[in-house]
Amino acid sequence: MRNTGPIAIVSAMQEEVSKLVELMNGEPTTVGSRVFWLAHWHGHPVIAVLSGIGKVAAATTVATLIERFGVKEVIFSGVAGGLGDDVKVGDVVVAKELVQHDFDASPLFPRYEIPLYARSHFPSSPLQHQCLVQAAQASLPGLARAMQGEHLLAGLGVNAQDILVHEGLVVSGDQFISNNAQREDLRARLPLALAAEMEGAAVAQVCFDFKVPFAAVRVISDRADDSASLNFTQFIEEVAAPYGAHVIQTYLEMRPTHD
Ligand code: SAH
């Protein structure tokens, strides 16, 4: 484990990275087709980067963060579709472990198992995970101020007071889960899954390879069902981006500057 180097903040969508870069006043460096934004923020060297959407884009971005920038930990911040019964739009899910729900090398290997790793589930790092859970919980009271999108949350039937922070299994795949059949299929196959997204398990696998601590936080943008694409872009811009940035700032404030 490395104790020096910047903390990397990775997001899949432009709105999320733009919000972070604006707040931290980052300086850009381009490697390949990614722009890495460097800053000193809340007492830490930090790099924010747009991974783009999907497992391959996320994996190459994180390999670059580790190899080129020597980051000491990777935090993924983004949105996800809620799968658990009590995981509603506006809630936060902090990933305790992650699985690629679309990985299937059976019958050679059990479904979801990644060949040569002898595992399907990749854990987040306990220290970073706990700190992220605490940051998500601590940010709830200040959330209303951080968001311009309270009317949007209210329009989705979400009351800021009812927002919950969940921890558990997050599943990733190269699919936007946006109909009831896909949702029910996933829930039947992976009943413990709290949320579905498109990058986390890939990032967890790369961090596992390089022994770099990793944790991930997702704001629930939709219920991964027939209504998933309604309000999606507006939700990211007005709710999830400021909300995610608020959680990350709280995380950096709480995180010791030296381990
Ligand atoms: N319409 C969007 C598509 C975004 S894809 C666009 O045009 O840009 C969805 C992104 O949000 C991915 O980065 C994924 O990690 C996350 N996500 C949110 N809800 C999801 C869902 N229901 N299924 C899969 N990924 C989801």
Side-chain angles (χ1 to χ4, degrees), residues 57-95:
T60 58
T61 306
V62 171
T64 307
L65 278 169
I66 295 169
E67 273 293 284
R68 181 67 77 100
F69 295 97
V71 297
K72 74 166 181 181
E73 64 183 63
V74 175
I75 306 297
F76 198 102
S77 168
V79 293
L83 290 175
D85 285 328
D86 60 342
V87 180
K88 55 191 189 305
V89 172
D91 280 1
V92 179
V93 172
V94 186

PDB file of all heavy atoms in Angstrom, residues 57-95:
ATOM      1  N   ALA A  57     -13.564   1.796 -20.264  1.00  0.00           N
ATOM      2  CA  ALA A  57     -13.161   3.199 -20.090  1.00  0.00           C
ATOM      3  C   ALA A  57     -12.698   3.437 -18.651  1.00  0.00           C
ATOM      4  O   ALA A  57     -11.680   4.105 -18.404  1.00  0.00           O
ATOM      5  CB  ALA A  57     -14.319   4.123 -20.450  1.00  0.00           C
ATOM      6  N   ALA A  58     -13.421   2.868 -17.706  1.00  0.00           N
ATOM      7  CA  ALA A  58     -13.071   3.070 -16.297  1.00  0.00           C
ATOM      8  C   ALA A  58     -11.757   2.369 -15.960  1.00  0.00           C
ATOM      9  O   ALA A  58     -10.900   2.929 -15.260  1.00  0.00           O
ATOM     10  CB  ALA A  58     -14.205   2.543 -15.412  1.00  0.00           C
ATOM     11  N   ALA A  59     -11.570   1.156 -16.487  1.00  0.00           N
ATOM     12  CA  ALA A  59     -10.365   0.383 -16.158  1.00  0.00           C
ATOM     13  C   ALA A  59      -9.107   1.057 -16.718  1.00  0.00           C
ATOM     14  O   ALA A  59      -8.091   1.160 -16.015  1.00  0.00           O
ATOM     15  CB  ALA A  59     -10.488  -1.036 -16.707  1.00  0.00           C
ATOM     16  N   THR A  60      -9.155   1.543 -17.949  1.00  0.00           N
ATOM     17  CA  THR A  60      -7.948   2.171 -18.516  1.00  0.00           C
ATOM     18  C   THR A  60      -7.639   3.477 -17.775  1.00  0.00           C
ATOM     19  O   THR A  60      -6.472   3.805 -17.551  1.00  0.00           O
ATOM     20  CB  THR A  60      -8.104   2.470 -20.025  1.00  0.00           C
ATOM     21  OG1 THR A  60      -9.232   3.306 -20.209  1.00  0.00           O
ATOM     22  CG2 THR A  60      -8.277   1.196 -20.826  1.00  0.00           C
ATOM     23  N   THR A  61      -8.684   4.185 -17.401  1.00  0.00           N
ATOM     24  CA  THR A  61      -8.478   5.450 -16.677  1.00  0.00           C
ATOM     25  C   THR A  61      -7.770   5.192 -15.351  1.00  0.00           C
ATOM     26  O   THR A  61      -6.823   5.905 -14.978  1.00  0.00           O
ATOM     27  CB  THR A  61      -9.842   6.126 -16.400  1.00  0.00           C
ATOM     28  OG1 THR A  61     -10.537   6.253 -17.623  1.00  0.00           O
ATOM     29  CG2 THR A  61      -9.667   7.482 -15.751  1.00  0.00           C
ATOM     30  N   VAL A  62      -8.213   4.166 -14.645  1.00  0.00           N
ATOM     31  CA  VAL A  62      -7.655   3.906 -13.321  1.00  0.00           C
ATOM     32  C   VAL A  62      -6.237   3.339 -13.429  1.00  0.00           C
ATOM     33  O   VAL A  62      -5.362   3.674 -12.625  1.00  0.00           O
ATOM     34  CB  VAL A  62      -8.614   3.000 -12.515  1.00  0.00           C
ATOM     35  CG1 VAL A  62      -7.970   2.525 -11.230  1.00  0.00           C
ATOM     36  CG2 VAL A  62      -9.882   3.777 -12.205  1.00  0.00           C
ATOM     37  N   ALA A  63      -5.978   2.530 -14.457  1.00  0.00           N
ATOM     38  CA  ALA A  63      -4.607   2.037 -14.659  1.00  0.00           C
ATOM     39  C   ALA A  63      -3.671   3.227 -14.910  1.00  0.00           C
ATOM     40  O   ALA A  63      -2.544   3.259 -14.397  1.00  0.00           O
ATOM     41  CB  ALA A  63      -4.562   1.054 -15.823  1.00  0.00           C
ATOM     42  N   THR A  64      -4.126   4.218 -15.661  1.00  0.00           N
ATOM     43  CA  THR A  64      -3.309   5.414 -15.910  1.00  0.00           C
ATOM     44  C   THR A  64      -3.086   6.198 -14.618  1.00  0.00           C
ATOM     45  O   THR A  64      -1.978   6.674 -14.341  1.00  0.00           O
ATOM     46  CB  THR A  64      -3.979   6.315 -16.979  1.00  0.00           C
ATOM     47  OG1 THR A  64      -4.254   5.519 -18.117  1.00  0.00           O
ATOM     48  CG2 THR A  64      -3.097   7.489 -17.355  1.00  0.00           C
ATOM     49  N   LEU A  65      -4.150   6.329 -13.813  1.00  0.00           N
ATOM     50  CA  LEU A  65      -4.020   7.043 -12.529  1.00  0.00           C
ATOM     51  C   LEU A  65      -2.950   6.398 -11.660  1.00  0.00           C
ATOM     52  O   LEU A  65      -2.158   7.091 -11.008  1.00  0.00           O
ATOM     53  CB  LEU A  65      -5.353   6.992 -11.760  1.00  0.00           C
ATOM     54  CG  LEU A  65      -6.420   7.994 -12.145  1.00  0.00           C
ATOM     55  CD1 LEU A  65      -7.742   7.622 -11.489  1.00  0.00           C
ATOM     56  CD2 LEU A  65      -6.011   9.413 -11.743  1.00  0.00           C
ATOM     57  N   ILE A  66      -2.918   5.083 -11.667  1.00  0.00           N
ATOM     58  CA  ILE A  66      -1.989   4.362 -10.794  1.00  0.00           C
ATOM     59  C   ILE A  66      -0.573   4.417 -11.359  1.00  0.00           C
ATOM     60  O   ILE A  66       0.387   4.763 -10.657  1.00  0.00           O
ATOM     61  CB  ILE A  66      -2.465   2.901 -10.608  1.00  0.00           C
ATOM     62  CG1 ILE A  66      -3.804   2.876  -9.859  1.00  0.00           C
ATOM     63  CG2 ILE A  66      -1.410   2.080  -9.874  1.00  0.00           C
ATOM     64  CD1 ILE A  66      -4.506   1.525  -9.840  1.00  0.00           C
ATOM     65  N   GLU A  67      -0.440   4.100 -12.642  1.00  0.00           N
ATOM     66  CA  GLU A  67       0.891   3.990 -13.237  1.00  0.00           C
ATOM     67  C   GLU A  67       1.531   5.347 -13.508  1.00  0.00           C
ATOM     68  O   GLU A  67       2.720   5.545 -13.306  1.00  0.00           O
ATOM     69  CB  GLU A  67       0.791   3.205 -14.554  1.00  0.00           C
ATOM     70  CG  GLU A  67       0.884   1.719 -14.347  1.00  0.00           C
ATOM     71  CD  GLU A  67       2.269   1.307 -13.850  1.00  0.00           C
ATOM     72  OE1 GLU A  67       3.188   1.293 -14.673  1.00  0.00           O
ATOM     73  OE2 GLU A  67       2.424   1.034 -12.650  1.00  0.00           O
ATOM     74  N   ARG A  68       0.746   6.285 -14.027  1.00  0.00           N
ATOM     75  CA  ARG A  68       1.317   7.578 -14.423  1.00  0.00           C
ATOM     76  C   ARG A  68       1.373   8.567 -13.266  1.00  0.00           C
ATOM     77  O   ARG A  68       2.287   9.360 -13.142  1.00  0.00           O
ATOM     78  CB  ARG A  68       0.495   8.143 -15.584  1.00  0.00           C
ATOM     79  CG  ARG A  68       0.961   9.466 -16.120  1.00  0.00           C
ATOM     80  CD  ARG A  68       2.325   9.384 -16.809  1.00  0.00           C
ATOM     81  NE  ARG A  68       2.217   8.806 -18.134  1.00  0.00           N
ATOM     82  CZ  ARG A  68       2.201   9.519 -19.256  1.00  0.00           C
ATOM     83  NH1 ARG A  68       2.283  10.825 -19.217  1.00  0.00           N
ATOM     84  NH2 ARG A  68       2.112   8.907 -20.425  1.00  0.00           N
ATOM     85  N   PHE A  69       0.342   8.515 -12.410  1.00  0.00           N
ATOM     86  CA  PHE A  69       0.250   9.552 -11.373  1.00  0.00           C
ATOM     87  C   PHE A  69       0.534   9.018  -9.968  1.00  0.00           C
ATOM     88  O   PHE A  69       0.546   9.787  -9.014  1.00  0.00           O
ATOM     89  CB  PHE A  69      -1.127  10.224 -11.415  1.00  0.00           C
ATOM     90  CG  PHE A  69      -1.370  10.998 -12.694  1.00  0.00           C
ATOM     91  CD1 PHE A  69      -2.066  10.425 -13.739  1.00  0.00           C
ATOM     92  CD2 PHE A  69      -0.857  12.284 -12.848  1.00  0.00           C
ATOM     93  CE1 PHE A  69      -2.275  11.125 -14.923  1.00  0.00           C
ATOM     94  CE2 PHE A  69      -1.063  12.989 -14.023  1.00  0.00           C
ATOM     95  CZ  PHE A  69      -1.772  12.413 -15.064  1.00  0.00           C
ATOM     96  N   GLY A  70       0.742   7.719  -9.832  1.00  0.00           N
ATOM     97  CA  GLY A  70       1.086   7.127  -8.533  1.00  0.00           C
ATOM     98  C   GLY A  70       0.078   7.424  -7.445  1.00  0.00           C
ATOM     99  O   GLY A  70       0.449   7.688  -6.294  1.00  0.00           O
ATOM    100  N   VAL A  71      -1.216   7.365  -7.774  1.00  0.00           N
ATOM    101  CA  VAL A  71      -2.222   7.744  -6.768  1.00  0.00           C
ATOM    102  C   VAL A  71      -2.191   6.783  -5.579  1.00  0.00           C
ATOM    103  O   VAL A  71      -1.890   5.603  -5.730  1.00  0.00           O
ATOM    104  CB  VAL A  71      -3.651   7.805  -7.372  1.00  0.00           C
ATOM    105  CG1 VAL A  71      -3.723   8.886  -8.429  1.00  0.00           C
ATOM    106  CG2 VAL A  71      -4.097   6.469  -7.930  1.00  0.00           C
ATOM    107  N   LYS A  72      -2.498   7.296  -4.393  1.00  0.00           N
ATOM    108  CA  LYS A  72      -2.438   6.429  -3.202  1.00  0.00           C
ATOM    109  C   LYS A  72      -3.770   5.755  -2.927  1.00  0.00           C
ATOM    110  O   LYS A  72      -3.826   4.776  -2.188  1.00  0.00           O
ATOM    111  CB  LYS A  72      -1.930   7.187  -1.980  1.00  0.00           C
ATOM    112  CG  LYS A  72      -2.900   8.162  -1.363  1.00  0.00           C
ATOM    113  CD  LYS A  72      -2.409   8.569   0.028  1.00  0.00           C
ATOM    114  CE  LYS A  72      -3.389   9.522   0.666  1.00  0.00           C
ATOM    115  NZ  LYS A  72      -2.978   9.957   1.980  1.00  0.00           N
ATOM    116  N   GLU A  73      -4.856   6.300  -3.482  1.00  0.00           N
ATOM    117  CA  GLU A  73      -6.155   5.623  -3.363  1.00  0.00           C
ATOM    118  C   GLU A  73      -7.075   6.134  -4.465  1.00  0.00           C
ATOM    119  O   GLU A  73      -6.852   7.215  -5.026  1.00  0.00           O
ATOM    120  CB  GLU A  73      -6.783   5.839  -1.980  1.00  0.00           C
ATOM    121  CG  GLU A  73      -7.126   7.276  -1.663  1.00  0.00           C
ATOM    122  CD  GLU A  73      -7.681   7.439  -0.248  1.00  0.00           C
ATOM    123  OE1 GLU A  73      -6.948   7.146   0.713  1.00  0.00           O
ATOM    124  OE2 GLU A  73      -8.831   7.885  -0.109  1.00  0.00           O
ATOM    125  N   VAL A  74      -8.105   5.346  -4.748  1.00  0.00           N
ATOM    126  CA  VAL A  74      -9.054   5.700  -5.804  1.00  0.00           C
ATOM    127  C   VAL A  74     -10.458   5.706  -5.208  1.00  0.00           C
ATOM    128  O   VAL A  74     -10.888   4.722  -4.601  1.00  0.00           O
ATOM    129  CB  VAL A  74      -8.994   4.677  -6.969  1.00  0.00           C
ATOM    130  CG1 VAL A  74     -10.078   4.986  -7.998  1.00  0.00           C
ATOM    131  CG2 VAL A  74      -7.614   4.681  -7.623  1.00  0.00           C
ATOM    132  N   ILE A  75     -11.145   6.836  -5.380  1.00  0.00           N
ATOM    133  CA  ILE A  75     -12.534   6.949  -4.928  1.00  0.00           C
ATOM    134  C   ILE A  75     -13.403   7.182  -6.163  1.00  0.00           C
ATOM    135  O   ILE A  75     -13.148   8.118  -6.930  1.00  0.00           O
ATOM    136  CB  ILE A  75     -12.724   8.145  -3.956  1.00  0.00           C
ATOM    137  CG1 ILE A  75     -11.739   8.056  -2.776  1.00  0.00           C
ATOM    138  CG2 ILE A  75     -14.170   8.224  -3.465  1.00  0.00           C
ATOM    139  CD1 ILE A  75     -11.898   6.862  -1.880  1.00  0.00           C
ATOM    140  N   PHE A  76     -14.381   6.319  -6.368  1.00  0.00           N
ATOM    141  CA  PHE A  76     -15.308   6.522  -7.487  1.00  0.00           C
ATOM    142  C   PHE A  76     -16.563   7.198  -6.954  1.00  0.00           C
ATOM    143  O   PHE A  76     -17.140   6.782  -5.947  1.00  0.00           O
ATOM    144  CB  PHE A  76     -15.681   5.179  -8.143  1.00  0.00           C
ATOM    145  CG  PHE A  76     -16.248   5.379  -9.520  1.00  0.00           C
ATOM    146  CD1 PHE A  76     -15.477   5.148 -10.639  1.00  0.00           C
ATOM    147  CD2 PHE A  76     -17.539   5.862  -9.679  1.00  0.00           C
ATOM    148  CE1 PHE A  76     -15.981   5.392 -11.903  1.00  0.00           C
ATOM    149  CE2 PHE A  76     -18.056   6.115 -10.939  1.00  0.00           C
ATOM    150  CZ  PHE A  76     -17.276   5.872 -12.061  1.00  0.00           C
ATOM    151  N   SER A  77     -16.978   8.249  -7.657  1.00  0.00           N
ATOM    152  CA  SER A  77     -18.192   8.955  -7.268  1.00  0.00           C
ATOM    153  C   SER A  77     -19.113   9.037  -8.481  1.00  0.00           C
ATOM    154  O   SER A  77     -18.688   9.478  -9.550  1.00  0.00           O
ATOM    155  CB  SER A  77     -17.811  10.359  -6.781  1.00  0.00           C
ATOM    156  OG  SER A  77     -18.954  11.162  -6.654  1.00  0.00           O
ATOM    157  N   GLY A  78     -20.351   8.588  -8.332  1.00  0.00           N
ATOM    158  CA  GLY A  78     -21.250   8.628  -9.490  1.00  0.00           C
ATOM    159  C   GLY A  78     -22.683   8.358  -9.123  1.00  0.00           C
ATOM    160  O   GLY A  78     -23.071   8.522  -7.960  1.00  0.00           O
ATOM    161  N   VAL A  79     -23.458   7.966 -10.130  1.00  0.00           N
ATOM    162  CA  VAL A  79     -24.868   7.647  -9.916  1.00  0.00           C
ATOM    163  C   VAL A  79     -25.102   6.179 -10.257  1.00  0.00           C
ATOM    164  O   VAL A  79     -24.270   5.549 -10.920  1.00  0.00           O
ATOM    165  CB  VAL A  79     -25.807   8.541 -10.757  1.00  0.00           C
ATOM    166  CG1 VAL A  79     -25.730   9.974 -10.274  1.00  0.00           C
ATOM    167  CG2 VAL A  79     -25.493   8.450 -12.241  1.00  0.00           C
ATOM    168  N   ALA A  80     -26.221   5.648  -9.793  1.00  0.00           N
ATOM    169  CA  ALA A  80     -26.541   4.242 -10.063  1.00  0.00           C
ATOM    170  C   ALA A  80     -28.044   4.045  -9.999  1.00  0.00           C
ATOM    171  O   ALA A  80     -28.778   4.882  -9.458  1.00  0.00           O
ATOM    172  CB  ALA A  80     -25.855   3.338  -9.033  1.00  0.00           C
ATOM    173  N   GLY A  81     -28.474   2.924 -10.542  1.00  0.00           N
ATOM    174  CA  GLY A  81     -29.880   2.531 -10.457  1.00  0.00           C
ATOM    175  C   GLY A  81     -30.104   1.710  -9.198  1.00  0.00           C
ATOM    176  O   GLY A  81     -29.337   0.789  -8.909  1.00  0.00           O
ATOM    177  N   GLY A  82     -31.137   2.017  -8.438  1.00  0.00           N
ATOM    178  CA  GLY A  82     -31.422   1.297  -7.194  1.00  0.00           C
ATOM    179  C   GLY A  82     -32.072  -0.049  -7.473  1.00  0.00           C
ATOM    180  O   GLY A  82     -33.040  -0.125  -8.237  1.00  0.00           O
ATOM    181  N   LEU A  83     -31.549  -1.117  -6.873  1.00  0.00           N
ATOM    182  CA  LEU A  83     -32.122  -2.464  -7.053  1.00  0.00           C
ATOM    183  C   LEU A  83     -32.757  -2.987  -5.766  1.00  0.00           C
ATOM    184  O   LEU A  83     -33.754  -3.706  -5.814  1.00  0.00           O
ATOM    185  CB  LEU A  83     -31.031  -3.455  -7.488  1.00  0.00           C
ATOM    186  CG  LEU A  83     -30.454  -3.297  -8.894  1.00  0.00           C
ATOM    187  CD1 LEU A  83     -29.305  -4.286  -9.092  1.00  0.00           C
ATOM    188  CD2 LEU A  83     -31.521  -3.508  -9.963  1.00  0.00           C
ATOM    189  N   GLY A  84     -32.151  -2.669  -4.619  1.00  0.00           N
ATOM    190  CA  GLY A  84     -32.684  -3.135  -3.333  1.00  0.00           C
ATOM    191  C   GLY A  84     -34.064  -2.536  -3.087  1.00  0.00           C
ATOM    192  O   GLY A  84     -34.352  -1.418  -3.547  1.00  0.00           O
ATOM    193  N   ASP A  85     -34.920  -3.293  -2.351  1.00  0.00           N
ATOM    194  CA  ASP A  85     -36.299  -2.848  -2.133  1.00  0.00           C
ATOM    195  C   ASP A  85     -36.380  -1.452  -1.525  1.00  0.00           C
ATOM    196  O   ASP A  85     -37.228  -0.660  -1.885  1.00  0.00           O
ATOM    197  CB  ASP A  85     -37.013  -3.824  -1.180  1.00  0.00           C
ATOM    198  CG  ASP A  85     -37.369  -5.111  -1.912  1.00  0.00           C
ATOM    199  OD1 ASP A  85     -37.644  -5.036  -3.126  1.00  0.00           O
ATOM    200  OD2 ASP A  85     -37.335  -6.176  -1.265  1.00  0.00           O
ATOM    201  N   ASP A  86     -35.477  -1.169  -0.560  1.00  0.00           N
ATOM    202  CA  ASP A  86     -35.570   0.113   0.141  1.00  0.00           C
ATOM    203  C   ASP A  86     -34.556   1.138  -0.378  1.00  0.00           C
ATOM    204  O   ASP A  86     -34.269   2.127   0.294  1.00  0.00           O
ATOM    205  CB  ASP A  86     -35.392  -0.102   1.653  1.00  0.00           C
ATOM    206  CG  ASP A  86     -34.043  -0.720   1.975  1.00  0.00           C
ATOM    207  OD1 ASP A  86     -33.410  -1.281   1.047  1.00  0.00           O
ATOM    208  OD2 ASP A  86     -33.612  -0.652   3.134  1.00  0.00           O
ATOM    209  N   VAL A  87     -33.995   0.886  -1.559  1.00  0.00           N
ATOM    210  CA  VAL A  87     -32.999   1.816  -2.127  1.00  0.00           C
ATOM    211  C   VAL A  87     -33.714   2.730  -3.120  1.00  0.00           C
ATOM    212  O   VAL A  87     -34.023   2.337  -4.235  1.00  0.00           O
ATOM    213  CB  VAL A  87     -31.853   1.036  -2.810  1.00  0.00           C
ATOM    214  CG1 VAL A  87     -30.833   2.004  -3.383  1.00  0.00           C
ATOM    215  CG2 VAL A  87     -31.186   0.086  -1.826  1.00  0.00           C
ATOM    216  N   LYS A  88     -33.989   3.953  -2.683  1.00  0.00           N
ATOM    217  CA  LYS A  88     -34.822   4.826  -3.500  1.00  0.00           C
ATOM    218  C   LYS A  88     -34.018   5.970  -4.127  1.00  0.00           C
ATOM    219  O   LYS A  88     -32.876   6.242  -3.709  1.00  0.00           O
ATOM    220  CB  LYS A  88     -35.987   5.367  -2.669  1.00  0.00           C
ATOM    221  CG  LYS A  88     -35.552   6.064  -1.414  1.00  0.00           C
ATOM    222  CD  LYS A  88     -36.730   6.355  -0.502  1.00  0.00           C
ATOM    223  CE  LYS A  88     -36.285   7.241   0.649  1.00  0.00           C
ATOM    224  NZ  LYS A  88     -35.139   6.703   1.429  1.00  0.00           N
ATOM    225  N   VAL A  89     -34.609   6.623  -5.108  1.00  0.00           N
ATOM    226  CA  VAL A  89     -33.962   7.758  -5.772  1.00  0.00           C
ATOM    227  C   VAL A  89     -33.598   8.804  -4.719  1.00  0.00           C
ATOM    228  O   VAL A  89     -34.411   9.116  -3.846  1.00  0.00           O
ATOM    229  CB  VAL A  89     -34.896   8.369  -6.845  1.00  0.00           C
ATOM    230  CG1 VAL A  89     -34.318   9.661  -7.410  1.00  0.00           C
ATOM    231  CG2 VAL A  89     -35.146   7.360  -7.963  1.00  0.00           C
ATOM    232  N   GLY A  90     -32.350   9.288  -4.780  1.00  0.00           N
ATOM    233  CA  GLY A  90     -31.871  10.271  -3.800  1.00  0.00           C
ATOM    234  C   GLY A  90     -31.056   9.632  -2.687  1.00  0.00           C
ATOM    235  O   GLY A  90     -30.267  10.312  -2.038  1.00  0.00           O
ATOM    236  N   ASP A  91     -31.223   8.311  -2.458  1.00  0.00           N
ATOM    237  CA  ASP A  91     -30.409   7.629  -1.438  1.00  0.00           C
ATOM    238  C   ASP A  91     -28.959   7.525  -1.912  1.00  0.00           C
ATOM    239  O   ASP A  91     -28.648   7.777  -3.082  1.00  0.00           O
ATOM    240  CB  ASP A  91     -30.931   6.200  -1.192  1.00  0.00           C
ATOM    241  CG  ASP A  91     -32.158   6.172  -0.281  1.00  0.00           C
ATOM    242  OD1 ASP A  91     -32.618   7.246   0.142  1.00  0.00           O
ATOM    243  OD2 ASP A  91     -32.655   5.059  -0.006  1.00  0.00           O
ATOM    244  N   VAL A  92     -28.089   7.134  -0.986  1.00  0.00           N
ATOM    245  CA  VAL A  92     -26.673   6.946  -1.298  1.00  0.00           C
ATOM    246  C   VAL A  92     -26.328   5.481  -1.040  1.00  0.00           C
ATOM    247  O   VAL A  92     -26.751   4.916  -0.036  1.00  0.00           O
ATOM    248  CB  VAL A  92     -25.796   7.838  -0.390  1.00  0.00           C
ATOM    249  CG1 VAL A  92     -24.322   7.646  -0.691  1.00  0.00           C
ATOM    250  CG2 VAL A  92     -26.173   9.305  -0.569  1.00  0.00           C
ATOM    251  N   VAL A  93     -25.580   4.879  -1.963  1.00  0.00           N
ATOM    252  CA  VAL A  93     -25.078   3.520  -1.745  1.00  0.00           C
ATOM    253  C   VAL A  93     -23.553   3.572  -1.752  1.00  0.00           C
ATOM    254  O   VAL A  93     -22.949   4.079  -2.707  1.00  0.00           O
ATOM    255  CB  VAL A  93     -25.579   2.540  -2.830  1.00  0.00           C
ATOM    256  CG1 VAL A  93     -24.892   1.179  -2.690  1.00  0.00           C
ATOM    257  CG2 VAL A  93     -27.097   2.366  -2.734  1.00  0.00           C
ATOM    258  N   VAL A  94     -22.945   3.072  -0.679  1.00  0.00           N
ATOM    259  CA  VAL A  94     -21.486   2.965  -0.622  1.00  0.00           C
ATOM    260  C   VAL A  94     -21.169   1.478  -0.815  1.00  0.00           C
ATOM    261  O   VAL A  94     -21.692   0.623  -0.097  1.00  0.00           O
ATOM    262  CB  VAL A  94     -20.932   3.488   0.724  1.00  0.00           C
ATOM    263  CG1 VAL A  94     -19.409   3.506   0.703  1.00  0.00           C
ATOM    264  CG2 VAL A  94     -21.461   4.898   1.013  1.00  0.00           C
ATOM    265  N   ALA A  95     -20.337   1.195  -1.829  1.00  0.00           N
ATOM    266  CA  ALA A  95     -20.112  -0.204  -2.238  1.00  0.00           C
ATOM    267  C   ALA A  95     -19.163  -0.904  -1.280  1.00  0.00           C
ATOM    268  O   ALA A  95     -18.032  -0.463  -1.099  1.00  0.00           O
ATOM    269  CB  ALA A  95     -19.533  -0.244  -3.644  1.00  0.00           C
TER     270      ALA A  95
END
